[in-house]
Amino acid sequence: LLTTFEAFAPAGFPAVREAWLARNAHAGAMVRVLSDFEPPLEGRFVDVDGEGALRVATAGQIRRLISGEVSLRPILGDGS
């Protein structure tokens, strides 16, 4: 944990993004994104960009989502 913090402190999320993605439990899964600011959104979890924004593929496009309150919940019955 200390090593991760030491990388994050001077450079921010881009310095630890690859390690975060390697541990991401939702990679490629169908997810429902719940937010206080937008209607629920369903799509395939793509990744998190260098600024920490969630990227979800839906309706033929990649949506970039930023929010203080985002909950990812696997969609039942998607096989994941």
Side-chain angles (χ1 to χ4, degrees):
L1 186 58
L2 179 59
T3 303
T4 301
F5 177 74
E6 288 172 341
F8 179 84
F13 186 67
V16 298
R17 180 177 177 264
E18 291 303 318
W20 188 94
L21 290 172
R23 292 167 179 83
N24 171 23
H26 295 285
M30 291 298 295
V31 294
R32 179 176 295 118
V33 180
L34 304 175
S35 171
D36 289 340
F37 308 106
E38 295 188 32
L41 174 73
E42 291 184 1
R44 186 161 304 279
F45 182 91
V46 176
D47 63 10
V48 175
D49 71 15
E51 295 177 347
L54 175 69
R55 294 178 358 115
V56 175
T58 184
Q61 65 181 5
I62 305 274
R63 296 274 312 267
R64 184 176 183 267
L65 306 169
I66 299 174
S67 178
E69 296 291 330
V70 174
S71 176
L72 295 177
R73 298 180 184 184
I75 298 172
L76 298 178
D78 74 343
S80 61

